[in-house]
Amino acid sequence: MTLKDFFEQVPKAAAAFSGGTDSAFVLWAAKKYGCDVHAYYVRTAFQPEFELEDARRLAEELDIPMTVVDMDILSVPEAKENGAERCYYCKRAIFTHLWEAARSDGYSVLLDGTNASDDAGDRPGMRALREMEVRSPLRECGITKEWVREQSKEAALFTWDKPAYACLATRIPVGTPITATDLNRVEQAENVMAALGFRDFRVRMYGTGARIQVTEDQMQLVMENRKQIYEKLGGLFSAVFLDLEERRVSNGQ
């Protein structure tokens, strides 16, 4: 099945939009193939501000309506407690809110951007999507991440080479309760790193300190900016560490 076939079968749909490469391409394809599509962005403490900015920009460029759904994700006990199943409970809560918003606007189909490269397995988040009856056109059509990027570039979508970005909750070690303060510190730290030119990196909580992970080709950039990084992140954390094992970006975590 092609995306054209998919959207001929689904002429009207709501779409969970994160501002990332995959969900952006789903919106573009829906528009291209004549689907009446409405984007929904869930704003929580787990999403950094730049994701919302990117989502708004893309929706405006595609001339697709977008609704921002505010949600207090830290009011979900299982998400705040940050156990091994956090992603499952988080997805369940978020897509429950999305469904409510979509149905109130007259939509009976909800899409997301999961692609064929994503390992379904028994990942908690994937399980939640199945249970919530969310459709994934990229996955259903066998479309991989690489193909999404290639086609997004041809379509002139600015998201075509945007690095995969897992939510801020993934920066907190499993089993450590998540607080708004820690999420804010991590977001500020990653904004500092991005401003210094880093891509595909992470700043993770390590006790009360921060552990920086960068790709191998950016290790030298860390050394060149060592003083700036320490001065700015040192005000946010008790200590700043560099993980000497290079970051691998296959799964976006």
Side-chain angles (χ1 to χ4, degrees):
M1 180 169 60
T2 66
L3 284 174
K4 183 175 184 294
D5 296 331
F6 181 92
F7 286 112
E8 284 177 351
Q9 296 174 22
V10 182
K12 181 177 180 178
F17 185 34
S18 67
T21 303
D22 297 324
S23 55
F25 187 69
V26 168
L27 289 182
W28 175 85
K31 179 89 173 185
K32 176 180 174 65
Y33 296 118
C35 177
D36 171 7
V37 65
H38 189 121
Y40 293 84
Y41 180 97
V42 177
R43 177 166 52 191
T44 78
F46 288 177
Q47 279 71 46
E49 189 63 24
F50 79 81
E51 291 280 49
L52 177 56
E53 293 170 1
D54 283 356
R56 282 176 167 151
R57 175 184 167 189
L58 196 286
E60 183 176 343
E61 290 181 0
L62 293 179
D63 192 26
I64 289 174
M66 186 181 90
T67 297
V68 177
V69 180
D70 287 301
M71 178 185 172
D72 179 10
I73 191 66
L74 293 178
S75 70
V76 179
E78 298 88 351
K80 182 179 176 64
E81 290 165 5
N82 197 24
E85 294 281 286
R86 183 207 69 240
C87 191
Y88 170 80
Y89 291 106
C90 182
K91 289 280 191 186
R92 287 278 309 186
I94 285 176
F95 277 89
T96 294
H97 276 68
L98 283 172
W99 264 124
E100 291 173 354
R103 287 180 174 129
S104 69
D105 289 336
Y107 294 91
S108 59
V109 177
L110 179 58
L111 312 176
D112 89 317
T114 303
N115 65 63
S117 300
D118 293 323
D119 178 21
D122 192 35
R123 284 170 54 183
M126 293 287 204
R127 191 167 80 249
L129 293 178
R130 290 195 299 270
E131 293 175 2
M132 299 295 288
E133 298 184 339
V134 176
R135 300 284 301 272
S136 303
L138 301 179
R139 187 170 185 81
E140 290 182 34
C141 294
I143 295 173
T144 64
K145 185 75 168 190
E146 182 180 6
W147 195 88
V148 168
R149 291 198 184 278
E150 290 173 356
Q151 296 301 308
S152 294
K153 186 176 183 180
E154 285 190 20
L157 301 180
F158 75 88
T159 52
W160 77 270
D161 65 342
K162 184 175 179 178
Y165 190 90
C167 79
L168 292 171
T170 62
R171 314 303 195 269
I172 315 298
V174 173
T176 299
I178 299 173
T179 67
T181 298
D182 283 344
L183 293 172
N184 184 258
R185 287 196 291 170
V186 168
E187 182 175 0
Q188 288 185 62
E190 293 198 343
N191 286 342
V192 167
M193 298 290 289
L196 290 172
F198 290 91
R199 285 170 60 87
D200 283 331
F201 66 93
R202 294 289 183 264
V203 177
R204 302 188 189 278
M205 293 290 298
Y206 189 72
T208 58
R211 177 166 59 100
I212 298 172
Q213 295 177 314
V214 299
T215 54
E216 185 174 11
D217 62 320
Q218 296 181 103
M219 287 288 183
Q220 183 59 38
L221 188 58
V222 175
M223 294 299 100
E224 293 170 1
N225 291 276
R226 180 180 61 82
K227 289 185 178 180
Q228 283 182 276
I229 292 171
Y230 182 73
E231 286 173 1
K232 295 184 177 180
L233 270 61
L236 298 169
F237 301 95
S238 63
V240 181
F241 306 95
L242 172 64
D243 192 333
L244 294 179
E245 181 178 3
E246 72 272 16
R247 170 171 153 70
R248 293 177 174 83
V249 298
S250 59
N251 64 3
Q253 292 294 311

